[in-house]
Amino acid sequence: MQEFNPEQKAAISHSNGPMLVLAGPGSGKTTVIIHRVKRLIEKEHVNPREILVITFTKAAAQQMKRRFLDLGVAEGERVKFGTFHSIFFLILRSAYGYDVEQIIQEEEKWNALKAILQDLDIETNDQEEYIRSFLAEVSLMKNELISIKQYEPKHLPKEEFQKVYQKMELYKNRHNKLDFDDMLVQCYELLLEDENLRKYWQEKYQHILVDEFQDINKAQYECLRLLVKEQENLFVVGDDDQSIYCFRGARPDFMLDFSKDFPQTKKVILHTNYRSAEKIIRLAEKIIRTNQKRFPKHMKGIGYEGQKIRFFTQKDATSEAEAIAKKIELLRAEGIAFPQIAIIYRTNLQGSLYARILQRKGIPYTMKDKAINIYRHWIAQDIIAYLILARNEEDDEAVKRIINKPTRYISKEFIQEASKMPYPLLRSFFCCSSMVSWQEDTLTKLQMDICKLRQMKAHEGIIFIRKVIGYDRYLADYCAYRKASLAGLLEIADEITEAAKQTETIEEFIDMMQKMGDMEESREKRNEYHNINGVVLTTMHSAKGLEFDAVFLPSLIEGVVPHEKSDTPQGIEEERRLFYVAATRARQRLYLSEIKTRYDNPATRSRFLRELGLK
């Protein structure tokens, strides 16, 4: 025990009853967990079979088990290390006889949902995005233990969501399948209703230890409460300041209210950060102290002061990315390896810009998140369709794509009637007997707009499509109906508009979009985004758990950090936690930067920077 600090010793040597360990960044939480398990076996004489250690990912569970086995504890291999899902499936299998083949695979789930959407005649611009949104809604609903009747979907129409959900549940029942979210709900219901089974599992695992407790959701928490015996030997480790998965149902409340649910709880705060330099720790403290919903803490380092935090301003995101690339080259010249350098940004969309700039500079990189291919996005295809019509009004496929973007109330039946005419579609509309005067006015205006578009350069033309023809209005209407994020779609449209600055003519722009789209697809297939010897490009969410010698946090402006979709007090607190997590990934050097303009609009410095004293 000599190698541990007083707080670590207090956590490791805790005997029985509930304990809450608040473990700040770099405070050695995994070390505390495995040494506590060692002590339970060697000093408290607990049967290794009666110890259960739970974390959130299979990789984390395996790594923790390896580290524990390296301690050389007698019969240590009998300790159970697993994820929530693996433990809950174990319980379900014992009760219902489930086997692994009954867990529905992602491909089967997606194919079933595609068939359901077709069966329900649900049209969407991006079927994959729709399915992702649907699955995220279902996951949140089940994680929160909310019934389908009570749940209010955030990103899909309620009636439509319920229809798709019911058909998907029918599919799983018919094929005797379940998914990971079903495991949580079914396990909770089973433990709640079957007293004998509940007692069996309570006896089986006398001591339960949970890592990354700040990431727990309601279903997992309620299952834990049911699994804990009267002695309440529940040892949970986490950091409420790193709770960043609200969209999955995780929130700091479970940690903050832990002592209410377990009144005998003892609390330990691991104050020492062994990862970061003192200056980085002090900056991180300033970031997070503004949050109201948190345990107060005072982190300290181990005496290494470190270098000054660097802050710089650039004109726009492109010049900011180029400046970061130059600084990375200087860091490499100083001896810092590329994999020890990270650019951590707020949204996945930002990653593509850094990938392009680094590639141009010959700097290898790896992306932790799948890149968004904006050149193949349906918004890009819509804009290109308008530009194609500017070149050739007789392109019927382009007409069909944009005819109701924005809404012109041209029905499927009207399009079918026009398609029977012996002329190009746009001309055929005027020959239809069912045409009424307002339709004629609308279509005449479309022709006039296309004629004007023909005279414009690419960048100017895209702005005309969005602002004058009304494509942005269409996006707003689409999001209102689909309950999608307008901010997210406008950001993609802005990226496409920005890309047009690299070209002059419409033809050049269309050609560039085709080539760039092909290039992005080719890179993904060849796995070029994942050079293990490269600079790490990652979102703030994906950066959690990682650490680097040098970290860049770019575009710290309002609307990005904090993100514009987080407009509630709770949302702003989570955004601040994200910023805190990102900053505490740095060991030695931290670079903060802002931009003056974003998509040609003036940008405002992030409130988080202002809270740090940068007025």
PDB file of all heavy atoms in Angstrom, residues 396-420:
ATOM      1  N   ASP A 396     -34.472  14.899 -66.661  1.00  0.00           N
ATOM      2  CA  ASP A 396     -35.697  14.562 -65.918  1.00  0.00           C
ATOM      3  C   ASP A 396     -35.420  14.093 -64.491  1.00  0.00           C
ATOM      4  O   ASP A 396     -36.201  14.373 -63.572  1.00  0.00           O
ATOM      5  CB  ASP A 396     -36.485  13.492 -66.669  1.00  0.00           C
ATOM      6  CG  ASP A 396     -37.122  14.029 -67.939  1.00  0.00           C
ATOM      7  OD1 ASP A 396     -37.018  15.251 -68.170  1.00  0.00           O
ATOM      8  OD2 ASP A 396     -37.713  13.243 -68.698  1.00  0.00           O
ATOM      9  N   GLU A 397     -34.312  13.369 -64.278  1.00  0.00           N
ATOM     10  CA  GLU A 397     -34.002  12.877 -62.938  1.00  0.00           C
ATOM     11  C   GLU A 397     -33.718  14.040 -61.984  1.00  0.00           C
ATOM     12  O   GLU A 397     -34.111  14.020 -60.821  1.00  0.00           O
ATOM     13  CB  GLU A 397     -32.807  11.918 -62.979  1.00  0.00           C
ATOM     14  CG  GLU A 397     -33.099  10.573 -63.633  1.00  0.00           C
ATOM     15  CD  GLU A 397     -34.303   9.872 -63.005  1.00  0.00           C
ATOM     16  OE1 GLU A 397     -34.329   9.759 -61.755  1.00  0.00           O
ATOM     17  OE2 GLU A 397     -35.205   9.459 -63.751  1.00  0.00           O
ATOM     18  N   ALA A 398     -33.029  15.058 -62.500  1.00  0.00           N
ATOM     19  CA  ALA A 398     -32.753  16.239 -61.676  1.00  0.00           C
ATOM     20  C   ALA A 398     -34.049  16.964 -61.328  1.00  0.00           C
ATOM     21  O   ALA A 398     -34.229  17.436 -60.203  1.00  0.00           O
ATOM     22  CB  ALA A 398     -31.796  17.176 -62.405  1.00  0.00           C
ATOM     23  N   VAL A 399     -34.979  17.050 -62.304  1.00  0.00           N
ATOM     24  CA  VAL A 399     -36.275  17.686 -62.055  1.00  0.00           C
ATOM     25  C   VAL A 399     -37.031  16.953 -60.953  1.00  0.00           C
ATOM     26  O   VAL A 399     -37.557  17.566 -60.012  1.00  0.00           O
ATOM     27  CB  VAL A 399     -37.118  17.731 -63.348  1.00  0.00           C
ATOM     28  CG1 VAL A 399     -38.543  18.216 -63.037  1.00  0.00           C
ATOM     29  CG2 VAL A 399     -36.484  18.637 -64.382  1.00  0.00           C
ATOM     30  N   LYS A 400     -37.091  15.633 -61.058  1.00  0.00           N
ATOM     31  CA  LYS A 400     -37.816  14.840 -60.059  1.00  0.00           C
ATOM     32  C   LYS A 400     -37.203  15.030 -58.668  1.00  0.00           C
ATOM     33  O   LYS A 400     -37.922  15.048 -57.667  1.00  0.00           O
ATOM     34  CB  LYS A 400     -37.782  13.357 -60.428  1.00  0.00           C
ATOM     35  CG  LYS A 400     -38.645  12.997 -61.621  1.00  0.00           C
ATOM     36  CD  LYS A 400     -38.479  11.519 -61.973  1.00  0.00           C
ATOM     37  CE  LYS A 400     -39.239  11.158 -63.247  1.00  0.00           C
ATOM     38  NZ  LYS A 400     -38.994   9.755 -63.638  1.00  0.00           N
ATOM     39  N   ARG A 401     -35.888  15.178 -58.616  1.00  0.00           N
ATOM     40  CA  ARG A 401     -35.209  15.286 -57.321  1.00  0.00           C
ATOM     41  C   ARG A 401     -35.548  16.587 -56.606  1.00  0.00           C
ATOM     42  O   ARG A 401     -35.717  16.606 -55.381  1.00  0.00           O
ATOM     43  CB  ARG A 401     -33.702  15.161 -57.504  1.00  0.00           C
ATOM     44  CG  ARG A 401     -32.968  15.143 -56.193  1.00  0.00           C
ATOM     45  CD  ARG A 401     -31.507  14.812 -56.288  1.00  0.00           C
ATOM     46  NE  ARG A 401     -31.008  14.622 -54.933  1.00  0.00           N
ATOM     47  CZ  ARG A 401     -30.811  13.462 -54.324  1.00  0.00           C
ATOM     48  NH1 ARG A 401     -31.026  12.350 -54.987  1.00  0.00           N
ATOM     49  NH2 ARG A 401     -30.384  13.401 -53.066  1.00  0.00           N
ATOM     50  N   ILE A 402     -35.670  17.691 -57.345  1.00  0.00           N
ATOM     51  CA  ILE A 402     -35.808  18.993 -56.678  1.00  0.00           C
ATOM     52  C   ILE A 402     -37.197  19.613 -56.817  1.00  0.00           C
ATOM     53  O   ILE A 402     -37.438  20.688 -56.274  1.00  0.00           O
ATOM     54  CB  ILE A 402     -34.752  19.991 -57.220  1.00  0.00           C
ATOM     55  CG1 ILE A 402     -34.867  20.192 -58.741  1.00  0.00           C
ATOM     56  CG2 ILE A 402     -33.361  19.518 -56.845  1.00  0.00           C
ATOM     57  CD1 ILE A 402     -35.815  21.231 -59.211  1.00  0.00           C
ATOM     58  N   ILE A 403     -38.102  18.945 -57.505  1.00  0.00           N
ATOM     59  CA  ILE A 403     -39.376  19.581 -57.845  1.00  0.00           C
ATOM     60  C   ILE A 403     -40.150  20.056 -56.613  1.00  0.00           C
ATOM     61  O   ILE A 403     -40.863  21.063 -56.651  1.00  0.00           O
ATOM     62  CB  ILE A 403     -40.251  18.652 -58.719  1.00  0.00           C
ATOM     63  CG1 ILE A 403     -41.399  19.423 -59.348  1.00  0.00           C
ATOM     64  CG2 ILE A 403     -40.744  17.448 -57.924  1.00  0.00           C
ATOM     65  CD1 ILE A 403     -40.955  20.519 -60.301  1.00  0.00           C
ATOM     66  N   ASN A 404     -39.979  19.350 -55.487  1.00  0.00           N
ATOM     67  CA  ASN A 404     -40.665  19.773 -54.255  1.00  0.00           C
ATOM     68  C   ASN A 404     -39.674  20.158 -53.157  1.00  0.00           C
ATOM     69  O   ASN A 404     -39.923  19.975 -51.961  1.00  0.00           O
ATOM     70  CB  ASN A 404     -41.597  18.668 -53.765  1.00  0.00           C
ATOM     71  CG  ASN A 404     -42.878  18.630 -54.569  1.00  0.00           C
ATOM     72  OD1 ASN A 404     -43.555  19.650 -54.742  1.00  0.00           O
ATOM     73  ND2 ASN A 404     -43.196  17.462 -55.101  1.00  0.00           N
ATOM     74  N   LYS A 405     -38.550  20.716 -53.598  1.00  0.00           N
ATOM     75  CA  LYS A 405     -37.537  21.194 -52.655  1.00  0.00           C
ATOM     76  C   LYS A 405     -37.147  22.615 -53.047  1.00  0.00           C
ATOM     77  O   LYS A 405     -36.211  22.790 -53.828  1.00  0.00           O
ATOM     78  CB  LYS A 405     -36.309  20.272 -52.678  1.00  0.00           C
ATOM     79  CG  LYS A 405     -36.613  18.841 -52.257  1.00  0.00           C
ATOM     80  CD  LYS A 405     -35.372  17.966 -52.395  1.00  0.00           C
ATOM     81  CE  LYS A 405     -35.697  16.531 -51.984  1.00  0.00           C
ATOM     82  NZ  LYS A 405     -34.522  15.640 -52.094  1.00  0.00           N
ATOM     83  N   PRO A 406     -37.814  23.648 -52.574  1.00  0.00           N
ATOM     84  CA  PRO A 406     -38.885  23.662 -51.570  1.00  0.00           C
ATOM     85  C   PRO A 406     -40.218  23.161 -52.139  1.00  0.00           C
ATOM     86  O   PRO A 406     -40.357  22.964 -53.343  1.00  0.00           O
ATOM     87  CB  PRO A 406     -38.975  25.141 -51.192  1.00  0.00           C
ATOM     88  CG  PRO A 406     -38.582  25.848 -52.437  1.00  0.00           C
ATOM     89  CD  PRO A 406     -37.510  25.010 -53.044  1.00  0.00           C
ATOM     90  N   THR A 407     -41.190  23.016 -51.251  1.00  0.00           N
ATOM     91  CA  THR A 407     -42.486  22.465 -51.626  1.00  0.00           C
ATOM     92  C   THR A 407     -43.160  23.303 -52.709  1.00  0.00           C
ATOM     93  O   THR A 407     -43.330  24.517 -52.562  1.00  0.00           O
ATOM     94  CB  THR A 407     -43.410  22.384 -50.396  1.00  0.00           C
ATOM     95  OG1 THR A 407     -42.769  21.580 -49.414  1.00  0.00           O
ATOM     96  CG2 THR A 407     -44.743  21.767 -50.765  1.00  0.00           C
ATOM     97  N   ARG A 408     -43.498  22.616 -53.816  1.00  0.00           N
ATOM     98  CA  ARG A 408     -44.252  23.279 -54.905  1.00  0.00           C
ATOM     99  C   ARG A 408     -45.590  22.577 -55.123  1.00  0.00           C
ATOM    100  O   ARG A 408     -46.288  22.867 -56.094  1.00  0.00           O
ATOM    101  CB  ARG A 408     -43.406  23.283 -56.188  1.00  0.00           C
ATOM    102  CG  ARG A 408     -42.107  24.091 -56.056  1.00  0.00           C
ATOM    103  CD  ARG A 408     -41.317  24.160 -57.359  1.00  0.00           C
ATOM    104  NE  ARG A 408     -40.128  24.995 -57.197  1.00  0.00           N
ATOM    105  CZ  ARG A 408     -38.917  24.539 -56.856  1.00  0.00           C
ATOM    106  NH1 ARG A 408     -38.745  23.235 -56.638  1.00  0.00           N
ATOM    107  NH2 ARG A 408     -37.909  25.365 -56.721  1.00  0.00           N
ATOM    108  N   TYR A 409     -45.894  21.614 -54.246  1.00  0.00           N
ATOM    109  CA  TYR A 409     -47.161  20.879 -54.285  1.00  0.00           C
ATOM    110  C   TYR A 409     -47.378  20.208 -55.642  1.00  0.00           C
ATOM    111  O   TYR A 409     -48.487  20.198 -56.178  1.00  0.00           O
ATOM    112  CB  TYR A 409     -48.325  21.806 -53.934  1.00  0.00           C
ATOM    113  CG  TYR A 409     -48.169  22.439 -52.579  1.00  0.00           C
ATOM    114  CD1 TYR A 409     -47.716  23.755 -52.449  1.00  0.00           C
ATOM    115  CD2 TYR A 409     -48.427  21.718 -51.411  1.00  0.00           C
ATOM    116  CE1 TYR A 409     -47.529  24.330 -51.199  1.00  0.00           C
ATOM    117  CE2 TYR A 409     -48.238  22.290 -50.161  1.00  0.00           C
ATOM    118  CZ  TYR A 409     -47.800  23.591 -50.061  1.00  0.00           C
ATOM    119  OH  TYR A 409     -47.615  24.165 -48.822  1.00  0.00           O
ATOM    120  N   ILE A 410     -46.302  19.633 -56.164  1.00  0.00           N
ATOM    121  CA  ILE A 410     -46.402  18.850 -57.393  1.00  0.00           C
ATOM    122  C   ILE A 410     -46.534  17.394 -56.970  1.00  0.00           C
ATOM    123  O   ILE A 410     -45.578  16.792 -56.487  1.00  0.00           O
ATOM    124  CB  ILE A 410     -45.148  19.046 -58.287  1.00  0.00           C
ATOM    125  CG1 ILE A 410     -44.925  20.534 -58.573  1.00  0.00           C
ATOM    126  CG2 ILE A 410     -45.280  18.249 -59.574  1.00  0.00           C
ATOM    127  CD1 ILE A 410     -46.065  21.222 -59.299  1.00  0.00           C
ATOM    128  N   SER A 411     -47.710  16.815 -57.142  1.00  0.00           N
ATOM    129  CA  SER A 411     -48.001  15.478 -56.629  1.00  0.00           C
ATOM    130  C   SER A 411     -47.383  14.385 -57.496  1.00  0.00           C
ATOM    131  O   SER A 411     -46.979  14.620 -58.647  1.00  0.00           O
ATOM    132  CB  SER A 411     -49.516  15.268 -56.564  1.00  0.00           C
ATOM    133  OG  SER A 411     -50.054  15.259 -57.884  1.00  0.00           O
ATOM    134  N   LYS A 412     -47.330  13.175 -56.934  1.00  0.00           N
ATOM    135  CA  LYS A 412     -46.834  12.015 -57.680  1.00  0.00           C
ATOM    136  C   LYS A 412     -47.688  11.775 -58.918  1.00  0.00           C
ATOM    137  O   LYS A 412     -47.183  11.433 -59.991  1.00  0.00           O
ATOM    138  CB  LYS A 412     -46.863  10.760 -56.790  1.00  0.00           C
ATOM    139  CG  LYS A 412     -45.807  10.714 -55.719  1.00  0.00           C
ATOM    140  CD  LYS A 412     -45.924   9.405 -54.950  1.00  0.00           C
ATOM    141  CE  LYS A 412     -44.891   9.322 -53.831  1.00  0.00           C
ATOM    142  NZ  LYS A 412     -45.029   8.069 -53.050  1.00  0.00           N
ATOM    143  N   GLU A 413     -48.988  11.962 -58.751  1.00  0.00           N
ATOM    144  CA  GLU A 413     -49.908  11.738 -59.872  1.00  0.00           C
ATOM    145  C   GLU A 413     -49.646  12.726 -61.001  1.00  0.00           C
ATOM    146  O   GLU A 413     -49.674  12.359 -62.189  1.00  0.00           O
ATOM    147  CB  GLU A 413     -51.361  11.858 -59.390  1.00  0.00           C
ATOM    148  CG  GLU A 413     -51.820  10.780 -58.416  1.00  0.00           C
ATOM    149  CD  GLU A 413     -51.242  10.940 -57.012  1.00  0.00           C
ATOM    150  OE1 GLU A 413     -50.827  12.082 -56.668  1.00  0.00           O
ATOM    151  OE2 GLU A 413     -51.195   9.948 -56.269  1.00  0.00           O
ATOM    152  N   PHE A 414     -49.360  13.977 -60.618  1.00  0.00           N
ATOM    153  CA  PHE A 414     -49.085  15.009 -61.625  1.00  0.00           C
ATOM    154  C   PHE A 414     -47.787  14.679 -62.372  1.00  0.00           C
ATOM    155  O   PHE A 414     -47.690  14.826 -63.595  1.00  0.00           O
ATOM    156  CB  PHE A 414     -48.986  16.368 -60.930  1.00  0.00           C
ATOM    157  CG  PHE A 414     -48.962  17.545 -61.872  1.00  0.00           C
ATOM    158  CD1 PHE A 414     -49.566  17.491 -63.126  1.00  0.00           C
ATOM    159  CD2 PHE A 414     -48.320  18.723 -61.509  1.00  0.00           C
ATOM    160  CE1 PHE A 414     -49.538  18.581 -63.986  1.00  0.00           C
ATOM    161  CE2 PHE A 414     -48.278  19.819 -62.360  1.00  0.00           C
ATOM    162  CZ  PHE A 414     -48.894  19.741 -63.611  1.00  0.00           C
ATOM    163  N   ILE A 415     -46.782  14.194 -61.620  1.00  0.00           N
ATOM    164  CA  ILE A 415     -45.513  13.810 -62.245  1.00  0.00           C
ATOM    165  C   ILE A 415     -45.725  12.627 -63.186  1.00  0.00           C
ATOM    166  O   ILE A 415     -45.178  12.596 -64.303  1.00  0.00           O
ATOM    167  CB  ILE A 415     -44.462  13.475 -61.164  1.00  0.00           C
ATOM    168  CG1 ILE A 415     -44.102  14.739 -60.370  1.00  0.00           C
ATOM    169  CG2 ILE A 415     -43.196  12.873 -61.787  1.00  0.00           C
ATOM    170  CD1 ILE A 415     -43.228  14.492 -59.159  1.00  0.00           C
ATOM    171  N   GLN A 416     -46.548  11.664 -62.757  1.00  0.00           N
ATOM    172  CA  GLN A 416     -46.827  10.504 -63.612  1.00  0.00           C
ATOM    173  C   GLN A 416     -47.546  10.913 -64.893  1.00  0.00           C
ATOM    174  O   GLN A 416     -47.246  10.406 -65.988  1.00  0.00           O
ATOM    175  CB  GLN A 416     -47.677   9.490 -62.840  1.00  0.00           C
ATOM    176  CG  GLN A 416     -46.898   8.752 -61.761  1.00  0.00           C
ATOM    177  CD  GLN A 416     -47.784   7.938 -60.846  1.00  0.00           C
ATOM    178  OE1 GLN A 416     -49.021   7.954 -60.962  1.00  0.00           O
ATOM    179  NE2 GLN A 416     -47.168   7.212 -59.915  1.00  0.00           N
ATOM    180  N   GLU A 417     -48.472  11.855 -64.773  1.00  0.00           N
ATOM    181  CA  GLU A 417     -49.198  12.348 -65.954  1.00  0.00           C
ATOM    182  C   GLU A 417     -48.229  13.020 -66.928  1.00  0.00           C
ATOM    183  O   GLU A 417     -48.259  12.771 -68.142  1.00  0.00           O
ATOM    184  CB  GLU A 417     -50.281  13.338 -65.521  1.00  0.00           C
ATOM    185  CG  GLU A 417     -51.112  13.874 -66.680  1.00  0.00           C
ATOM    186  CD  GLU A 417     -52.106  14.950 -66.253  1.00  0.00           C
ATOM    187  OE1 GLU A 417     -52.265  15.165 -65.025  1.00  0.00           O
ATOM    188  OE2 GLU A 417     -52.704  15.581 -67.152  1.00  0.00           O
ATOM    189  N   ALA A 418     -47.321  13.869 -66.376  1.00  0.00           N
ATOM    190  CA  ALA A 418     -46.360  14.572 -67.228  1.00  0.00           C
ATOM    191  C   ALA A 418     -45.369  13.606 -67.869  1.00  0.00           C
ATOM    192  O   ALA A 418     -44.905  13.828 -68.999  1.00  0.00           O
ATOM    193  CB  ALA A 418     -45.619  15.624 -66.410  1.00  0.00           C
ATOM    194  N   SER A 419     -45.050  12.522 -67.147  1.00  0.00           N
ATOM    195  CA  SER A 419     -44.071  11.555 -67.657  1.00  0.00           C
ATOM    196  C   SER A 419     -44.558  10.836 -68.902  1.00  0.00           C
ATOM    197  O   SER A 419     -43.759  10.266 -69.660  1.00  0.00           O
ATOM    198  CB  SER A 419     -43.740  10.521 -66.567  1.00  0.00           C
ATOM    199  OG  SER A 419     -43.145  11.156 -65.462  1.00  0.00           O
ATOM    200  N   LYS A 420     -45.860  10.847 -69.129  1.00  0.00           N
ATOM    201  CA  LYS A 420     -46.423  10.167 -70.308  1.00  0.00           C
ATOM    202  C   LYS A 420     -46.332  11.032 -71.565  1.00  0.00           C
ATOM    203  O   LYS A 420     -46.578  10.554 -72.677  1.00  0.00           O
ATOM    204  CB  LYS A 420     -47.881   9.785 -70.038  1.00  0.00           C
ATOM    205  CG  LYS A 420     -48.040   8.749 -68.929  1.00  0.00           C
ATOM    206  CD  LYS A 420     -49.503   8.516 -68.586  1.00  0.00           C
ATOM    207  CE  LYS A 420     -49.645   7.542 -67.418  1.00  0.00           C
ATOM    208  NZ  LYS A 420     -51.055   7.376 -67.017  1.00  0.00           N
TER     209      LYS A 420
END
